[in-house]
Structures are given as structure tokens and as C-alpha cells.
Amino acid sequence: MVSRVIPVDPFDVVVFGATGDLSTRKILPALYRRFFAGQIPPEARIIGAARTDLDAEGFRALTRTAIAEHVGAAKRDPEQIEAFLRCVDYVPVDANGTSGWQELKALIRPGVVNAFYFSVAPSLFGDLAERLHGHGITTDDSRIVVEKPFGRDLASAQALNATLAAHFDEHQIYRIDHYLGKETVQNLMAVRFANILFEPLWNSQYVDHVQITVAETVGVGGRGGYYDRSGAMRDMVQNHMMQLLCLIAMEPPYHFDPDAVRDEKLKVIRALQPAAQSDIVRGQYLPVKGDPARRGYVEDVENPDSRSESYIALKVQVANWRWQGTPFYLRTGKRLRARTSEIAITFKQPPHSIFDEADDSWRENVLVIRLQPNEGMNLKVMIKEPGPGGMRLVQVPLDMSFAEALGEEGADIPDAYERLIMDVIRGNQTLFMRGDEVEAAWAWTDPIIAGWEARGDRPQPYDSGSSGPEDALMLMHRDGRRWREIRE
Ligand SMILES: NC(=O)c1ccc[n+]([C@@H]2O[C@H](COP(=O)([O-])OP(=O)(O)OC[C@H]3O[C@@H](n4cnc5c(N)ncnc54)[C@H](OP(=O)(O)O)[C@@H]3O)[C@@H](O)[C@H]2O)c1
């Protein structure tokens, strides 16, 4: 199967924070891959911007290294790399100072789409918006791309939205949640709304419960300071997991159109019931004995009194007609048994069994959408066990790995950043969060965090390499359910 690459028109994209980690690991390699695919024309301009005093050649050298380190060998074609580097330029700019802005302005071409990627610390987002507008660099058609985290609570998100809104219209603001750029996440919408098969069953009458898992094997690494001020609730649940929940729970939009999709997601967030503290389990990973490289959470963040969680599991109810009575169980954590992200929709058992099976507890159909590794889907169905042994049932997977089903194309799924950056250039906001969505998500999250902060709750310790704290198992057991195994 050959996918169509539709080239975009020439554009200017400015990457603020171009010398940083996200830019060199994700943004620059993603732009190169789209260039390699033929989607970015040679007339496009990629302008790095940061305080470091580099010239264009110096930044090209840095970009070359980023490509060498973060693009697979199959796409590292020397001629293509040199052609791409001819699109690359650099200007030293101070986001909260005065230097560099006139030079930047001189580089932006009138008449082509221009986009400004804010890959800097969130404290600089407002400064960038103000200066871009103040120096007359942006027009009504310019786009700004804002990285996460978007605020740390409702008040700070509202303040940031207000600052951005003072200089840019909502249709110009692209708030990134890279989970939305994943192929399988968009496939979730295709599976639901382009097939007749699932949607009639997609409600509390037929769905027993939903599990969303984002498990990591790594600890907080070098991000300890940032992470400890945030915790898993702010870092993962308020944004990524909430977005996944929305895509599962939302009503069909009237059209696959940015505002139609985001209106439906917003309704889901507003329908979330406040989560009771008894429906939440938080944890912190313990050190691995005898392995100084794998310290415990409090050692990693250098805060023995830390109350932030590296693990959270919670039971969430969407209070509307479609989902009343179907719980959504969310869990995410660091230093867990395996690195895996998945959504599992567990359907109810048939109302009556005509087969004489002693144990029918495992009979439910489960639709699993894997985000990583191996993006794909898997539907567990019951069939007759082959052979002459009578009517015995067995559960088998109808497995669709994109890599297998779509051959080379499927094995070469674009990175989320590739798709999202191209959407910015095309002016498509469907996969970006709207300001009101972000605020609604914080409005739901804030009181939960305030609750455990007020009580001074301490997360429970859990073993590194485990599935999380014991109490998280109880969260499901007491409802007569169990978590899916965390494994790759
Ligand atoms: N890294 C990730 O995996 C990741 C994932 C999700 C979201 N994010 C978000 O992406 C953003 C960037 O993260 P990062 O990890 O790339 O940070 P980083 O490695 O610390 O890079 C920060 C960049 O900002 C530049 N910078 C700092 N102060 C500046 C100023 N006053 N004016 C202009 N440029 C300035 C730095 O270059 P100079 O020192 O040369 O100025 C550097 O290029 C953050 O908002 C982060 O939350 C990162």
C-alpha cells in the first residue's frame, strides 16, 4: 500500500528553543523526515532561534547531528540531508529580552505561511507571544505552537490563555498534545466513526469498563526538579490521558472538523464526575537494591519529603446517558514492569450462555488499541476450539498490527510530531487542544489535587519493575474487575 504524500506550500517555521532537547530529539528530526518524504518543499525555511550565539552554519551542524542521532539509517540520505540543511537558518533571539527580534523579522517572508514553535520553558510562552506581536513579526495568518505543560492549574492556564489571546486569535494557537498525533489515536476515531460495527455497542449497555494505561520503565531521570513540582496527575492525566478518554467517550461529531471534534471532547470533560479520593491511588517508586543507577523516587528528585506521585491510578465516571455505569480506569506510572500504552475496551458478557463452560469469567470481548510499542489493534473474540473434542470455546485475538497489515508503510508510521507540525502548516487544528478544553481539564483536576494536598497525603511506595502499588489492584478488585497485565 502506498500512502499519498501531498506536499505543503512553502512556509517559514521558527523554532524557539531550537538548541534544546525537544527540538533536537523530536522537532528537527520530524521536519527532516517530512522533507525526506517529499512533503516539505525546498523553498521552505526552518529558522532556529535561541540565545546561544550561533551562525547559520553552526546551527546546521547541530541539525546534522540531531538527524544523525534521531533519524533511522534508512532515511539518512546524505544528499537529502544537505538539501534539507539548505532550508535551515538561525538567529540568536532572547525570548524575554530585546536582542534578535529585528533580525528575526527580516528573515520572515511575506506571503508564505509562517509558524512559531514555542519549544522553550513555559514561563517564556507569554514573553514570546508578546514580542512576536509587538515587533510586528506576526500577521493574522501566523500560527503559534505551544508545548506542554499548559499551566499547572486552572488559574495559571487561564492566565496563559488570556496572555496568548491578547496577541493571537484562537484559530492561530496550536496547543500540542503529542498523544493526539499518534496514528492509533486517530485510528480510534476512524474505527468508531467509519465503521458500523462498533458504534452501536459503544455505550454502557454493552461496555463493561474501559482501561487506559500509560506505563513507563524509566524513572524521572534528569527531569526530577520539574517532575516533583508536577507529579503524574499534572504531567500525564490532565492532558494525555484525558484526551484519550475524550476520544473514547465523545459523541460522533457532525463532521471531522476542528471545532466539531473539540466541542464533543469538551462535553466529555464537562461530564466527568468529581473523582472521590477513595477512587484514587498514588505511588512513588522504591530504589532497586544494589543498583545505584536506579534510585528511588525521593532520591531521584532529591526531596526526601516529596508528596508528588510517580504513579497514579484512578476510577473515573463520565456522567451522561451514554456512559452512566461504565467506569473508566486510568493508570500511569514510572519504573513499571514494561513500557506500554494501551486503551482496552472490555465489553459485557453475552446475556445468556448456551455453552456449558465451567468458567466463563474470561469470555468478554476486549478491543485493545495499542499506542506503543507496535501501534495496532486487537479484538479478542470467542471461537470454537478446533478439533473433535466437542464444543469447547477458546478466546482468540483478531490482531491487526499496522506493521503487518500495511506492510512497509505500516512499519514506517510517522512520528506524532511529523503529523502535528504538518497540520500546523496546513492550518488544521483538529488534533490540537482548544483553550476551553485545557481549562475544563484543569477545572476537573484542581479540586482532586487540592484534596490530597490539604490532607498532606503521602503516595504509597511501590517496587521498581512492578505493576504499581498494591492498593491500585484493590481499586479494580473491589469492583470485581482486574487490571490487564502490564507487558510489552
Ligand atoms: N524534552 C521533552 O521531551 C519535552 C516533552 C514535552 C514537552 N516539552 C516542553 O518543550 C519545551 C522545551 O523543553 P526542552 O526539554 O527542549 O528544554 P531545554 O532542553 O531546556 O531547552 C530549552 C531551549 O530554550 C532556549 N532558551 C532558554 N531561555 C531562552 C530565552 N530567554 N530566549 C530564547 N531561548 C531560550 C534554550 O537555548 P539557549 O540556552 O541557547 O537560549 C534551549 O534551546 C518545554 O516547555 C517543555 O516543557 C519537552
Side-chain angles (χ1 to χ4, degrees):
M1 185 184 296
V2 178
S3 74
R4 287 173 301 151
V5 173
I6 302 171
V8 295
D9 290 334
F11 61 85
D12 289 342
V13 63
V14 177
V15 182
F16 288 107
T19 55
D21 177 69
L22 184 69
S23 164
T24 48
R25 261 188 333 106
K26 290 289 182 181
I27 303 172
L28 296 172
L31 284 162
Y32 168 72
R33 282 193 218 101
R34 286 296 91 204
F35 182 88
F36 181 87
Q39 195 163 18
I40 294 184
E43 297 81 20
R45 195 92 60 80
I46 292 140
I47 303 164
R51 289 167 308 177
T52 304
D53 192 18
L54 288 174
D55 58 9
E57 267 318 308
F59 184 62
R60 284 185 195 124
L62 187 146
T63 307
R64 196 180 279 115
T65 307
I67 293 170
E69 285 175 1
H70 302 291
V71 174
K75 293 186 180 175
R76 288 201 311 263
D77 175 70
E79 268 181 40
Q80 292 274 17
I81 293 175
E82 291 314 308
F84 175 72
L85 292 176
R86 284 194 284 278
C87 301
V88 170
D89 208 338
Y90 183 81
V91 54
V93 180
D94 187 356
N96 53 1
T98 51
S99 65
W101 293 98
Q102 291 309 326
E103 291 80 356
L104 178 62
K105 186 175 180 179
L107 286 180
I108 305 298
R109 297 170 293 179
V112 299
V113 166
N114 54 61
F116 300 86
Y117 198 126
F118 294 4
S119 180
V120 293
S123 56
L124 295 173
F125 293 165
D127 292 307
L128 285 178
E130 213 171 279
R131 282 168 174 71
L132 280 170
H133 185 230
H135 286 280
I137 297 172
T138 48
T139 66
D140 291 349
D141 192 39
S142 301
R143 289 129 213 206
I144 58 168
V145 184
V146 186
E147 261 300 333
K148 84 169 219 190
F150 199 93
R152 56 169 284 110
D153 53 22
L154 177 59
S156 54
Q158 282 172 328
L160 181 53
N161 271 334
T163 306
L164 299 183
H167 307 290
F168 295 95
D169 193 77
E170 182 63 32
H171 79 269
Q172 299 178 275
I173 305 171
Y174 290 72
R175 294 174 195 79
I176 280 228
D177 185 322
H178 70 272
Y179 270 61
L180 293 181
K182 287 185 184 286
E183 190 77 14
T184 11
V185 172
Q186 292 163 74
N187 242 314
L188 188 54
M189 283 190 276
V191 163
R192 283 192 62 190
F193 304 133
N195 296 287
I196 190 73
L197 213 54
F198 295 108
E199 201 48 27
L201 305 180
W202 210 262
N203 55 56
S204 60
Q205 199 181 341
Y206 296 104
V207 176
D208 179 72
H209 72 279
V210 176
Q211 294 186 27
I212 306 178
T213 301
V214 177
E216 296 178 273
T217 49
V218 292
V220 296
R223 296 168 69 222
Y226 158 75
Y227 195 91
D228 201 39
R229 286 189 296 280
S230 160
M233 184 70 152
R234 287 191 171 99
D235 191 49
M236 293 298 299
V237 177
Q238 183 273 344
N239 39 51
H240 308 312
M241 300 188 86
M242 187 90 77
Q243 289 292 322
L244 298 180
L245 186 154
C246 283
L247 294 176
I248 302 163
M250 74 184 194
E251 295 300 315
Y254 71 88
H255 192 247
F256 191 60
D257 154 279
D259 275 327
V261 170
R262 296 184 303 173
D263 284 346
E264 295 306 334
K265 287 198 293 166
L266 179 62
K267 286 183 206 161
V268 174
I269 302 173
R270 290 194 172 145
L272 293 179
Q273 278 185 349
Q277 292 295 336
S278 56
D279 287 341
I280 301 172
V281 176
R282 298 192 305 138
Q284 287 177 341
Y285 57 80
L286 289 167
V288 178
K289 285 202 181 79
D291 183 352
R294 284 191 289 165
R295 302 185 300 173
Y297 176 77
V298 293
E299 291 85 25
D300 271 352
V301 300
E302 293 171 2
N303 178 8
D305 198 37
S306 169
R307 310 261 151 138
S308 298
E309 69 284 353
S310 62
Y311 175 100
I312 187 165
L314 60 170
K315 176 180 168 183
V316 177
Q317 299 277 358
V318 182
N320 63 17
W321 276 44
R322 186 190 279 260
W323 293 114
Q324 191 60 47
T326 297
F328 287 68
Y329 298 93
L330 277 46
R331 67 179 160 165
T332 180
K334 295 193 173 289
R335 278 283 182 79
L336 295 177
R337 175 171 294 154
R339 176 173 178 260
T340 177
S341 300
E342 64 165 41
I343 300 165
I345 321 278
T346 301
F347 292 89
K348 290 185 174 168
Q349 296 194 15
H352 166 71
S353 174
I354 63 169
F355 303 105
D356 300 324
E357 292 282 308
D359 175 14
D360 60 5
S361 60
W362 43 272
R363 273 197 193 169
E364 64 256 328
N365 299 126
V366 184
L367 174 66
V368 179
I369 297 134
R370 282 191 311 269
L371 274 60
Q372 67 187 20
N374 300 331
E375 291 198 49
M377 292 196 197
N378 179 324
L379 176 65
K380 294 225 171 93
V381 293
M382 301 299 296
I383 62 162
K384 177 190 167 299
E385 193 174 283
M391 182 55 100
R392 289 198 312 266
L393 300 181
V394 62
Q395 196 180 47
V396 294
L398 291 179
D399 205 345
M400 193 189 83
S401 145
F402 291 159
E404 282 169 27
L406 304 177
E408 229 175 81
E409 293 287 329
D412 191 22
I413 296 171
D415 181 76
Y417 282 90
E418 293 178 52
R419 175 172 299 103
L420 294 174
I421 296 171
M422 289 299 95
D423 279 355
V424 173
I425 303 303
R426 282 187 292 249
N428 186 341
Q429 288 185 306
T430 310
L431 300 175
F432 295 84
M433 295 178 294
R434 211 167 51 190
D436 51 3
E437 268 184 87
V438 180
E439 289 184 16
W442 281 122
W444 182 78
T445 318
D446 270 6
I448 302 173
I449 296 175
W452 70 57
E453 281 181 353
R455 287 195 309 276
D457 285 356
R458 233 193 152 111
Q460 298 168 22
Y462 62 93
D463 286 332
S464 287
S466 71
S467 299
E470 284 294 313
D471 281 5
L473 301 179
M474 289 312 299
L475 191 69
M476 293 284 270
H477 282 179
R478 70 180 193 212
D479 292 348
R481 300 184 175 103
R482 58 175 181 261
W483 290 108
R484 289 167 51 77
E485 210 181 312
I486 294 181
R487 59 170 181 197
E488 286 194 6

